[in-house]
Amino acid sequence: MASRGNSSTGANVTIAILAVVAFGMLVFGLIYFGKANQAKSELAQLKADTSDFVSDGERSSDDVRRLVSVKPRNQSLVGYLKGASEELARSVTGNARDGLDQVKEKIAAVPGAAGQSLLATIGARDSTIRNLETRVAQAERAREAANTDLVNERRRVSEIQSEFEQQVAALEEQVGRLSQDADYYRERLGGIEQQMAQRVAESQSSASEIETTLTSRIAELNEQKLILENQLAELRGQNGAQQFRVTDEFALVDGEVSALSPADNLVYISLGRKDKARVGMTFGVYNNASQIRPDAQGNYAAPKASLEVVNVGENSSTCRVLFQTRGNPVVKGDVIANPVFDPKKVYRVVVFGNFDANHDGQYTPLERDDIVARVREWGAEVADDVTGDLDFLILGRRPVLPPKPAATAPVEVIREYIRLESLARQYDDFFQRATATSIPVINENRLYTLLGGR
């Protein structure tokens, strides 16, 4: 009985404990259910509150997840986006408080940015800037080159100005000296005129005395002349056999006939370029040297033929027969003579101007040297100036003057023009002086005729 009582008591205790536990669980369940409903209400309210910032679909998108992954761990996504928006606004417009609409308005206000992205606008602006920088660099180089040219031009103008001022100063000094000389000679001229008038009077008086003395002297000399003429006549009568005669007739012979061509009416003589024979010279033909002997009156016998030189070689010349005596033809071995021909004479010439010695049609001053060489080879003496003892003036073409250079032309151009102008004036001066003094003036073609060939 006792064991059944104990078992019943244990069961009752167990049932009581189970009842208490069940009641506790019921109370806990009611409390949990209440809190669960409250949490659901709060979650719904939280979702409703956060839907304005991000929706459930947006929260699960890759873009949002990527933003969440890059934001700082201690910062919310909204805070990160707000900071990024402010940084972007500050970078674009310079004002972190500008919203998206304000940023768009300010970008649209940039010239050339309508319808383009900000990067495209910046790229176009950078390209424009690079083009402008390139143009500025080119303009800077052009400016530096222009400055260099300007400096060089200023230096050249300064040199020309300095040279011009020196020339002007020299001319002014020369004019001053000439003015002083003129004043001096003007003063001297007055005194000289008085002295000359006095001397003329004295000379006239002295001339009268001299005339009287000379008249008396002439009379005395005439008497002495008569005495001397009588003595000369006596001496001539006594020494007639000893009078001077021309005994060496070969001294009058210039050459001889070396060959003939009767069919062509040509005769070849032994005189050539080395003997200073020239085209146009004439020679008389004699049978022998004794026929050239003058008679008692000093007259020479007429030649049997006359020759004219038509071509000159080095050692011989070709002549045409101008006339010959009938029945006494020209034969090989006949002697020839020209009364004025003298192979020993050294001609004195001046060679000046531009020549065409190589016959290429170009007349240059350098080819004058070739003409001088040929003239000297002929045996003539080449002078530098026209003087009274000159035999010929050989003139080429007159030096050609270019257009007169401007004052701003290079110094070398101005000096070359002055040199050519001086040569042209010297050419005209030589021609005028030779013409005034009757000195023969020959050109290049006549020179070749004189020398016997081109």
Side-chain angles (χ1 to χ4, degrees), residues 103-118:
V103 171
K104 288 182 177 180
E105 289 177 359
K106 291 184 178 181
I107 292 176
V110 176
Q116 295 185 359
S117 65
L118 179 61

Side-chain angles (χ1 to χ4, degrees), residues 259-268 307-308 310 318-321:
L260 297 98
S261 179
D264 299 323
N265 195 32
L266 297 178
V267 174
Y268 302 93
L307 308 178
E308 181 185 10
V310 295
T318 305
C319 305
R320 66 186 180 94
V321 179

Side-chain angles (χ1 to χ4, degrees), residues 156-157 159-161 163 167 405 407-418:
R156 188 180 66 82
V157 170
E159 292 175 355
I160 294 175
Q161 181 68 24
E163 184 176 354
Q167 293 178 353
T408 57
V411 177
E412 294 77 10
V413 175
I414 296 176
R415 288 177 178 171
E416 179 63 14
Y417 178 82
I418 293 174

Side-chain angles (χ1 to χ4, degrees), residues 167-183:
Q167 293 178 353
V168 169
L171 290 174
E172 289 178 350
E173 182 180 358
Q174 185 176 3
V175 169
R177 289 198 303 267
L178 291 175
S179 177
Q180 294 177 357
D181 292 344
D183 294 338

Side-chain angles (χ1 to χ4, degrees), residues 143-352:
R143 184 187 66 81
E144 292 177 356
N147 285 337
T148 301
D149 294 341
L150 179 60
V151 171
N152 294 334
E153 186 66 18
R154 285 178 176 174
R155 184 184 299 110
R156 188 180 66 82
V157 170
S158 178
E159 292 175 355
I160 294 175
Q161 181 68 24
S162 177
E163 184 176 354
F164 175 75
E165 291 176 353
Q166 292 176 1
Q167 293 178 353
V168 169
L171 290 174
E172 289 178 350
E173 182 180 358
Q174 185 176 3
V175 169
R177 289 198 303 267
L178 291 175
S179 177
Q180 294 177 357
D181 292 344
D183 294 338
Y184 171 76
Y185 288 121
R186 190 179 296 110
E187 294 176 358
R188 292 280 297 171
L189 182 59
I192 291 173
E193 286 178 348
Q194 295 178 358
Q195 294 176 5
M196 291 301 297
Q198 183 178 357
R199 289 182 181 179
V200 167
E202 294 175 354
S203 298
Q204 290 177 347
S205 175
S206 178
S208 298
E209 296 177 358
I210 293 173
E211 182 179 4
T212 302
T213 304
L214 290 178
T215 301
S216 175
R217 180 61 177 166
I218 290 172
E220 294 177 0
L221 292 175
N222 284 333
E223 293 178 0
Q224 294 178 6
K225 177 184 176 184
L226 293 175
I227 295 172
L228 292 174
E229 286 178 349
N230 291 332
Q231 293 176 352
L232 180 60
E234 293 176 359
L235 291 173
R236 282 180 176 175
Q238 295 173 1
N239 303 316
Q242 300 178 3
Q243 261 189 324
F244 176 75
R245 293 289 186 270
V246 177
T247 59
D248 189 4
E249 60 272 12
F250 287 95
L252 302 176
V253 174
D254 295 319
E256 64 178 19
V257 176
S258 57
L260 297 98
S261 179
D264 299 323
N265 195 32
L266 297 178
V267 174
Y268 302 93
I269 63 175
S270 60
L271 299 177
R273 188 177 296 109
K274 66 180 181 60
D275 303 304
K276 298 184 180 179
R278 58 181 177 82
V279 174
M281 293 183 64
T282 59
F283 292 92
V285 182
Y286 300 88
N287 291 328
N288 51 60
S290 61
Q291 293 182 348
I292 311 177
R293 182 189 299 273
D295 57 18
Q297 287 74 33
N299 298 319
Y300 290 87
K304 70 176 185 179
S306 178
L307 308 178
E308 181 185 10
V309 179
V310 295
N311 188 25
V312 179
E314 185 64 26
N315 299 307
S316 64
S317 300
T318 305
C319 305
R320 66 186 180 94
V321 179
L322 297 178
F323 77 88
Q324 60 181 336
T325 305
R326 180 176 298 180
N328 190 11
V330 178
V331 296
K332 182 178 179 181
D334 285 348
V335 298
I336 59 174
N338 183 314
V340 296
F341 176 68
D342 183 7
K344 296 181 180 180
K345 176 176 175 56
V346 177
Y347 290 96
R348 195 166 185 270
V349 301
V350 167
V351 182
F352 198 81

